[in-house]
Amino acid sequence: MYKPESLMMSYGYQPQWSEGAIKCPIFQTSTFVFNSAEEGKAYFELAYGLREAGVEENPGLIYSRLNNPDLEILENRLCLWDQAEDCAVFESGMSAISTALFEFLNPGEYLLYSEPVYGGTAHFIKEVLSKFGVKSIGFCPDEDPRDLEQRLEKAGVASKIGMIYIETPANPTNTLIDIEAMSLLAQKWSTPEKKVYVAVDNTYLGPLFQNPLELGADLILYSATKYIGGHSDVIAGACLGSSAAIARIKKLRTFLGNMAGPWTGWLLMRSLETLKLRMEKQAANAQKVAQYLANHSKVESISYLGLLSEKDGEQYDIYQRQCKSPGAMLSVKIKGGEEEAFAFLNALKLVKLAVSLGSTESLAQHPASMTHAGIEAEEKLRIGITPNLVRISIGVEHFEDLIHDIEQALAKVQLPEVNLI
Ligand SMILES: *Cc1c(COP(=O)(O)O)cnc(C)c1O
């Protein structure tokens, strides 16, 4: 079997479908013509699950809210990286996440989720799910799974957990959560009547450098806007898992109508051809930039998975077990506070001052006042989102140019007087 990177240019598409075109065209169409009324009937029977598919019978194309070649081929290609049985793509990461939470949670149940999670996810959990009677309990990445289990059992909610949702590495701190340990907890809390699903937001390292299904997770979620899209020019999302789980997700997607459009599907297929090249280059660049920052006199500390070592204990063990590369996200504390962090950000030239991540160009932002502005001040400090924290997503530029840009920006930072004495 070929490796995924060898298949990204062709898998799932046959040129004879489109006049020999080597690339899959954009099927910019809302509906598909049936050859006969009988065929249309048969397609609908499968789409609505009215009967099992026959041998060699594939679901036919009906209407672009249900299926479209650009979506299906993209989904097939995404499956290869995570070795998933099936995939559903969405018009944003948030629509993939919200659809999965809606599908696998019921009123009266609790969602157990890691904190911090992406701001949009946190808002959806607290403000939207709660309106539908789904309660939530957060836990910090540094809480030991055994302590977490005891805490929930003591509080009498362990039996009401409907789903576990984790984001690892945590954004923006890079703290790791043990996916295998969380999957074991979910198994413990599952009953013959009800399975507790484990969903992992794998946007930070996936699909190349972390494969949660291998570690026992049930669902993988992506903001495909980030590494998968990779060029800061498209918003999209994906959910991967078993055929049975994704069949449920696709059914809800049909009725919410939040599938990706054909143009988005085409853009992501184009991006997938260079996914591995981009991510490997970004990780190699990040290692060099991280080493430079770790030794800089104006840097208080840096968190980068590639700098973890045995002295980091449990975090290093988790890293060894579940990550295939440190990726390209850096969390850097500049000496001083917000003023010093802002001076650094404002002085950057090649690295752009913007939220988002995983793109070909390097991006930097200030979590405390930007991506994580919605979190209460005390909570922010507790989870390590300090006023001097800057998050940098490393791109594919030449690493010497990146270091040069960061060097000149740090030179503009005036250290507070106390530090000069
Ligand atoms: C950006 C992001 C999301 C949301 O994705 P959109 O494509 O912006 O809807 C979710 N999770 C993580 C970790 C993200 O970085």
Side-chain angles (χ1 to χ4, degrees):
M1 190 55 187
Y2 295 119
K3 306 269 189 305
E5 63 268 33
S6 308
L7 294 169
M8 286 303 113
M9 286 63 77
S10 59
Y11 186 73
Y13 168 72
Q14 293 181 19
Q16 66 262 32
W17 295 340
S18 312
E19 310 272 0
I22 189 163
K23 290 288 124 170
C24 175
I26 305 174
F27 287 85
Q28 191 69 45
T29 186
S30 59
T31 194
F32 298 85
V33 178
F34 305 133
N35 286 313
S36 65
E38 288 77 11
E39 187 185 75
K41 179 181 173 182
Y43 287 179
F44 267 91
E45 282 169 350
L46 289 194
Y48 279 90
L50 302 177
R51 63 172 173 84
E52 292 286 308
V55 207
E56 310 242 324
E57 185 182 13
N58 290 316
L61 292 162
I62 297 176
Y63 183 67
S64 287
R65 178 155 47 73
L66 280 68
N67 48 17
N68 175 290
D70 292 292
L71 262 61
E72 292 196 347
I73 298 166
L74 168 65
E75 287 167 349
N76 293 340
R77 290 183 189 175
L78 275 172
C79 282
L80 298 177
W81 297 99
D82 280 302
Q83 297 192 24
E85 283 175 15
D86 204 359
C87 167
V89 290
F90 291 84
E91 201 53 43
S92 69
M94 276 316 302
S95 52
I97 292 166
S98 53
T99 303
L101 292 174
F102 268 145
E103 180 55 35
F104 293 104
L105 284 162
N106 296 303
E109 289 179 343
Y110 281 82
L111 171 69
L112 177 64
Y113 71 103
S114 62
E115 281 182 300
V117 282
Y118 179 72
T121 310
H123 182 90
F124 185 80
I125 291 172
K126 289 181 197 147
E127 309 295 328
V128 184
L129 278 184
S130 59
K131 284 206 293 190
F132 293 87
V134 176
K135 295 175 195 146
S136 57
I137 302 175
F139 72 97
C140 273
D142 54 12
E143 184 169 3
D144 186 282
R146 282 156 298 204
D147 297 340
L148 176 64
E149 183 182 357
Q150 278 189 1
R151 174 160 74 93
L152 296 179
E153 270 162 20
K154 241 187 223 157
V157 293
S159 61
K160 295 180 197 145
I161 303 288
M163 187 176 184
I164 301 177
Y165 182 96
I166 56 181
E167 210 176 286
T168 180
N171 172 14
T173 53
N174 277 340
T175 317
L176 296 171
I177 299 170
D178 189 336
I179 298 173
E180 230 166 342
M182 299 315 290
S183 304
L184 288 175
L185 271 185
Q187 276 173 28
K188 224 176 203 179
W189 292 330
S190 293
T191 62
E193 293 77 47
K194 213 192 135 291
K195 177 176 166 56
V196 176
Y197 282 81
V198 176
V200 179
D201 183 331
N202 202 33
T203 301
Y204 247 52
L205 284 182
L208 252 92
F209 301 148
Q210 182 172 269
N211 302 110
L213 299 180
E214 275 174 12
L215 301 158
D218 302 293
L219 295 171
I220 301 176
L221 292 154
Y222 287 112
S223 167
T225 310
K226 313 296 164 57
Y227 287 98
I228 293 173
H231 295 73
S232 299
D233 56 7
V234 63
I235 300 276
C239 178
L240 295 97
S242 68
S243 308
I246 300 303
R248 288 178 59 176
I249 294 275
K250 281 188 175 167
K251 193 167 175 192
L252 183 56
R253 183 184 70 174
T254 292
F255 296 105
L256 291 174
N258 54 2
M259 71 298 153
W263 174 225
T264 297
W266 186 89
L267 273 173
L268 291 185
M269 280 195 269
R270 181 163 186 156
S271 289
L272 280 183
E273 298 189 8
T274 55
L275 179 71
K276 187 161 190 254
L277 285 175
R278 286 184 281 112
M279 288 190 78
E280 284 181 345
K281 173 75 175 172
Q282 286 169 273
N285 276 350
Q287 188 74 44
K288 296 210 167 75
V289 175
Q291 261 145 10
Y292 169 80
L293 283 165
N295 297 317
H296 199 287
S297 63
K298 287 184 185 167
V299 171
E300 179 186 297
S301 65
I302 168 165
S303 168
Y304 174 60
L305 298 182
L307 297 178
L308 285 175
S309 67
E310 267 161 35
K311 70 174 171 28
D312 295 296
E314 183 70 14
Q315 284 288 306
Y316 182 67
D317 292 345
I318 301 176
Y319 173 72
Q320 294 281 321
R321 284 200 305 273
Q322 77 185 28
C323 308
K324 294 166 185 167
S325 155
M329 296 299 297
L330 315 180
S331 289
V332 187
K333 288 184 177 165
I334 309 290
K335 276 186 189 161
E338 184 184 276
E339 194 182 325
E340 289 72 23
F342 278 15
F344 169 68
L345 289 170
N346 287 336
L348 289 167
K349 291 178 185 153
L350 185 63
V351 179
K352 301 298 173 223
L353 173 53
V355 297
S356 198
L357 58 102
S359 187
T360 41
E361 71 270 89
S362 296
L363 300 172
Q365 64 108 6
H366 185 249
S369 67
M370 296 172 191
T371 48
H372 295 71
I375 302 178
E376 282 178 38
E378 257 176 48
E379 176 69 8
K380 267 193 275 209
L381 290 182
R382 194 173 63 77
I383 56 186
I385 305 178
T386 51
N388 64 344
L389 178 70
V390 170
R391 186 188 78 184
I392 309 176
S393 165
I394 298 293
V396 301
E397 302 90 342
H398 198 292
F399 75 91
E400 286 169 2
D401 292 336
L402 290 173
I403 291 175
H404 178 77
D405 190 36
I406 287 169
E407 183 177 33
Q408 66 79 27
L410 281 171
K412 304 256 167 62
V413 176
Q414 304 277 323
L415 287 187
E417 297 220 347
V418 277
N419 286 337
L420 293 174
I421 299 164

CSV table of all heavy atoms in Angstrom, one decimal, residues 150-182:
chain,number,residue,atom,x,y,z
A,150,GLN,N,-11.8,10.2,40.5
A,150,GLN,CA,-12.3,10.2,41.9
A,150,GLN,C,-13.2,11.5,42.1
A,150,GLN,O,-14.2,11.4,42.7
A,150,GLN,CB,-11.1,10.3,42.8
A,150,GLN,CG,-10.5,8.9,43.1
A,150,GLN,CD,-9.5,9.0,44.2
A,150,GLN,OE1,-9.2,10.0,44.8
A,150,GLN,NE2,-8.9,7.8,44.5
A,151,ARG,N,-12.7,12.6,41.6
A,151,ARG,CA,-13.5,13.8,41.8
A,151,ARG,C,-14.9,13.7,41.2
A,151,ARG,O,-15.9,14.1,41.8
A,151,ARG,CB,-12.7,15.0,41.0
A,151,ARG,CG,-13.5,16.3,41.0
A,151,ARG,CD,-12.5,17.5,40.8
A,151,ARG,NE,-12.1,17.6,39.4
A,151,ARG,CZ,-12.7,18.3,38.4
A,151,ARG,NH1,-13.8,19.0,38.7
A,151,ARG,NH2,-12.2,18.4,37.2
A,152,LEU,N,-15.0,13.1,40.0
A,152,LEU,CA,-16.3,13.0,39.4
A,152,LEU,C,-17.2,11.9,40.1
A,152,LEU,O,-18.4,12.1,40.2
A,152,LEU,CB,-16.2,12.6,37.9
A,152,LEU,CG,-15.5,13.7,37.1
A,152,LEU,CD1,-15.3,13.3,35.6
A,152,LEU,CD2,-16.2,15.0,37.2
A,153,GLU,N,-16.5,10.9,40.6
A,153,GLU,CA,-17.3,9.9,41.3
A,153,GLU,C,-17.8,10.4,42.6
A,153,GLU,O,-19.0,10.2,43.0
A,153,GLU,CB,-16.5,8.6,41.4
A,153,GLU,CG,-16.8,7.7,40.2
A,153,GLU,CD,-15.8,6.6,39.9
A,153,GLU,OE1,-15.1,6.2,40.9
A,153,GLU,OE2,-15.8,6.1,38.8
A,154,LYS,N,-17.0,11.2,43.3
A,154,LYS,CA,-17.4,11.8,44.5
A,154,LYS,C,-18.6,12.7,44.3
A,154,LYS,O,-19.5,12.8,45.1
A,154,LYS,CB,-16.2,12.6,45.2
A,154,LYS,CG,-15.9,12.0,46.5
A,154,LYS,CD,-14.8,12.9,47.2
A,154,LYS,CE,-13.7,12.1,47.8
A,154,LYS,NZ,-12.5,12.8,48.0
A,155,ALA,N,-18.5,13.5,43.2
A,155,ALA,CA,-19.6,14.5,42.9
A,155,ALA,C,-20.8,13.8,42.4
A,155,ALA,O,-21.9,14.4,42.1
A,155,ALA,CB,-19.1,15.5,41.9
A,156,GLY,N,-20.8,12.5,42.2
A,156,GLY,CA,-21.9,11.7,41.7
A,156,GLY,C,-22.3,11.9,40.2
A,156,GLY,O,-23.4,11.7,39.8
A,157,VAL,N,-21.3,12.4,39.4
A,157,VAL,CA,-21.7,12.7,38.0
A,157,VAL,C,-21.0,11.7,37.0
A,157,VAL,O,-21.3,11.7,35.9
A,157,VAL,CB,-21.3,14.1,37.6
A,157,VAL,CG1,-22.2,15.1,38.3
A,157,VAL,CG2,-19.9,14.4,37.8
A,158,ALA,N,-20.1,10.8,37.6
A,158,ALA,CA,-19.4,9.9,36.7
A,158,ALA,C,-20.4,9.1,35.8
A,158,ALA,O,-20.1,9.0,34.6
A,158,ALA,CB,-18.5,9.0,37.4
A,159,SER,N,-21.5,8.7,36.3
A,159,SER,CA,-22.4,7.9,35.6
A,159,SER,C,-23.2,8.7,34.6
A,159,SER,O,-24.0,8.1,33.7
A,159,SER,CB,-23.4,7.1,36.5
A,159,SER,OG,-24.1,8.1,37.2
A,160,LYS,N,-23.1,10.0,34.7
A,160,LYS,CA,-23.9,10.9,33.8
A,160,LYS,C,-23.1,11.5,32.7
A,160,LYS,O,-23.5,12.3,31.9
A,160,LYS,CB,-24.6,12.0,34.5
A,160,LYS,CG,-25.6,11.5,35.5
A,160,LYS,CD,-26.3,12.6,36.3
A,160,LYS,CE,-27.0,12.1,37.5
A,160,LYS,NZ,-26.9,13.1,38.6
A,161,ILE,N,-21.8,11.1,32.6
A,161,ILE,CA,-20.9,11.6,31.6
A,161,ILE,C,-21.4,11.0,30.2
A,161,ILE,O,-21.4,9.8,30.0
A,161,ILE,CB,-19.4,11.3,31.8
A,161,ILE,CG1,-18.9,11.8,33.2
A,161,ILE,CG2,-18.6,11.8,30.7
A,161,ILE,CD1,-18.8,13.2,33.3
A,162,GLY,N,-21.7,11.9,29.3
A,162,GLY,CA,-22.2,11.4,28.0
A,162,GLY,C,-21.1,11.4,26.9
A,162,GLY,O,-21.1,10.6,25.9
A,163,MET,N,-20.0,12.2,27.2
A,163,MET,CA,-19.0,12.3,26.1
A,163,MET,C,-17.8,13.0,26.8
A,163,MET,O,-17.9,13.8,27.7
A,163,MET,CB,-19.5,13.2,25.0
A,163,MET,CG,-18.6,13.3,23.8
A,163,MET,SD,-19.5,14.3,22.5
A,163,MET,CE,-18.3,14.2,21.2
A,164,ILE,N,-16.6,12.7,26.3
A,164,ILE,CA,-15.4,13.3,26.8
A,164,ILE,C,-14.8,14.1,25.5
A,164,ILE,O,-14.7,13.5,24.5
A,164,ILE,CB,-14.3,12.3,27.3
A,164,ILE,CG1,-14.9,11.6,28.5
A,164,ILE,CG2,-13.1,13.1,27.7
A,164,ILE,CD1,-14.0,10.5,29.1
A,165,TYR,N,-14.5,15.3,25.7
A,165,TYR,CA,-14.0,16.2,24.6
A,165,TYR,C,-12.6,16.7,25.0
A,165,TYR,O,-12.6,17.4,26.1
A,165,TYR,CB,-15.0,17.3,24.4
A,165,TYR,CG,-14.6,18.2,23.2
A,165,TYR,CD1,-15.1,17.9,21.9
A,165,TYR,CD2,-13.7,19.2,23.4
A,165,TYR,CE1,-14.7,18.7,20.9
A,165,TYR,CE2,-13.3,20.0,22.3
A,165,TYR,CZ,-13.8,19.8,21.0
A,165,TYR,OH,-13.5,20.5,20.0
A,166,ILE,N,-11.6,16.5,24.3
A,166,ILE,CA,-10.3,17.0,24.7
A,166,ILE,C,-9.6,17.7,23.5
A,166,ILE,O,-9.8,17.4,22.3
A,166,ILE,CB,-9.3,16.0,25.3
A,166,ILE,CG1,-9.1,14.8,24.4
A,166,ILE,CG2,-9.8,15.5,26.6
A,166,ILE,CD1,-8.2,13.7,24.9
A,167,GLU,N,-8.8,18.7,23.9
A,167,GLU,CA,-7.9,19.4,22.9
A,167,GLU,C,-6.5,19.2,23.4
A,167,GLU,O,-6.2,19.7,24.5
A,167,GLU,CB,-8.3,20.8,22.9
A,167,GLU,CG,-8.2,21.6,21.6
A,167,GLU,CD,-8.7,23.0,21.7
A,167,GLU,OE1,-9.9,23.2,21.7
A,167,GLU,OE2,-7.8,23.9,21.7
A,168,THR,N,-5.7,18.5,22.6
A,168,THR,CA,-4.3,18.3,23.0
A,168,THR,C,-3.4,18.3,21.8
A,168,THR,O,-3.8,17.7,20.8
A,168,THR,CB,-4.1,16.9,23.8
A,168,THR,OG1,-2.8,16.8,24.2
A,168,THR,CG2,-4.6,15.7,23.1
A,169,PRO,N,-2.3,19.0,21.8
A,169,PRO,CA,-1.8,19.9,22.9
A,169,PRO,C,-2.8,21.0,23.1
A,169,PRO,O,-3.5,21.5,22.2
A,169,PRO,CB,-0.5,20.5,22.4
A,169,PRO,CG,-0.2,19.7,21.2
A,169,PRO,CD,-1.4,19.1,20.7
A,170,ALA,N,-2.9,21.5,24.4
A,170,ALA,CA,-3.8,22.6,24.7
A,170,ALA,C,-3.3,23.9,24.1
A,170,ALA,O,-2.2,24.2,24.0
A,170,ALA,CB,-3.9,22.7,26.2
A,171,ASN,N,-4.3,24.6,23.6
A,171,ASN,CA,-4.0,25.9,22.9
A,171,ASN,C,-4.3,27.0,24.0
A,171,ASN,O,-5.4,26.9,24.6
A,171,ASN,CB,-5.0,26.0,21.7
A,171,ASN,CG,-5.0,27.4,21.1
A,171,ASN,OD1,-4.1,28.2,21.4
A,171,ASN,ND2,-6.0,27.6,20.3
A,172,PRO,N,-3.5,27.9,24.3
A,172,PRO,CA,-2.2,28.2,23.7
A,172,PRO,C,-1.0,27.7,24.5
A,172,PRO,O,0.1,28.2,24.2
A,172,PRO,CB,-2.2,29.7,23.7
A,172,PRO,CG,-2.9,30.1,25.0
A,172,PRO,CD,-3.8,28.9,25.3
A,173,THR,N,-1.2,26.8,25.5
A,173,THR,CA,-0.1,26.5,26.4
A,173,THR,C,0.8,25.3,26.0
A,173,THR,O,1.9,25.1,26.5
A,173,THR,CB,-0.6,26.3,27.8
A,173,THR,OG1,-1.6,25.3,27.7
A,173,THR,CG2,-1.2,27.5,28.4
A,174,ASN,N,0.3,24.5,25.0
A,174,ASN,CA,1.1,23.3,24.6
A,174,ASN,C,1.1,22.2,25.6
A,174,ASN,O,1.9,21.3,25.5
A,174,ASN,CB,2.5,23.7,24.1
A,174,ASN,CG,2.6,24.2,22.7
A,174,ASN,OD1,1.6,23.9,21.9
A,174,ASN,ND2,3.6,24.8,22.4
A,175,THR,N,0.2,22.3,26.7
A,175,THR,CA,0.2,21.2,27.6
A,175,THR,C,-0.5,20.0,27.0
A,175,THR,O,-1.5,20.1,26.3
A,175,THR,CB,-0.6,21.6,28.9
A,175,THR,OG1,-0.2,22.9,29.2
A,175,THR,CG2,-0.4,20.7,30.1
A,176,LEU,N,0.0,18.8,27.3
A,176,LEU,CA,-0.5,17.6,26.7
A,176,LEU,C,-1.5,16.8,27.6
A,176,LEU,O,-1.3,16.8,28.8
A,176,LEU,CB,0.7,16.6,26.3
A,176,LEU,CG,1.6,17.1,25.3
A,176,LEU,CD1,2.8,16.2,25.2
A,176,LEU,CD2,1.0,17.3,23.9
A,177,ILE,N,-2.5,16.2,27.0
A,177,ILE,CA,-3.4,15.4,27.7
A,177,ILE,C,-3.3,14.0,27.2
A,177,ILE,O,-3.1,13.8,26.0
A,177,ILE,CB,-4.9,15.9,27.5
A,177,ILE,CG1,-5.0,17.3,28.0
A,177,ILE,CG2,-5.9,15.0,28.2
A,177,ILE,CD1,-6.3,18.0,27.6
A,178,ASP,N,-3.3,13.0,28.1
A,178,ASP,CA,-3.1,11.6,27.8
A,178,ASP,C,-4.4,11.0,27.1
A,178,ASP,O,-5.4,10.8,27.8
A,178,ASP,CB,-2.8,10.9,29.0
A,178,ASP,CG,-2.3,9.4,28.8
A,178,ASP,OD1,-2.7,8.9,27.7
A,178,ASP,OD2,-1.6,8.9,29.6
A,179,ILE,N,-4.4,10.9,25.8
A,179,ILE,CA,-5.6,10.4,25.1
A,179,ILE,C,-6.0,9.0,25.5
A,179,ILE,O,-7.1,8.7,25.7
A,179,ILE,CB,-5.3,10.5,23.5
A,179,ILE,CG1,-5.1,11.9,23.1
A,179,ILE,CG2,-6.5,9.9,22.8
A,179,ILE,CD1,-4.7,12.0,21.6
A,180,GLU,N,-4.9,8.1,25.7
A,180,GLU,CA,-5.2,6.8,26.1
A,180,GLU,C,-5.9,6.7,27.4
A,180,GLU,O,-6.9,5.9,27.6
A,180,GLU,CB,-3.9,6.0,26.1
A,180,GLU,CG,-3.9,4.7,25.4
A,180,GLU,CD,-2.5,4.1,25.1
A,180,GLU,OE1,-1.5,4.9,25.3
A,180,GLU,OE2,-2.5,3.0,24.8
A,181,ALA,N,-5.4,7.5,28.4
A,181,ALA,CA,-6.0,7.5,29.7
A,181,ALA,C,-7.4,8.0,29.7
A,181,ALA,O,-8.3,7.4,30.4
A,181,ALA,CB,-5.2,8.4,30.6
A,182,MET,N,-7.7,9.0,28.8
A,182,MET,CA,-9.1,9.5,28.7
A,182,MET,C,-10.0,8.4,28.1
A,182,MET,O,-11.2,8.2,28.4
A,182,MET,CB,-9.2,10.8,28.0
A,182,MET,CG,-8.4,11.9,28.6
A,182,MET,SD,-8.6,12.1,30.4
A,182,MET,CE,-10.2,12.7,30.5
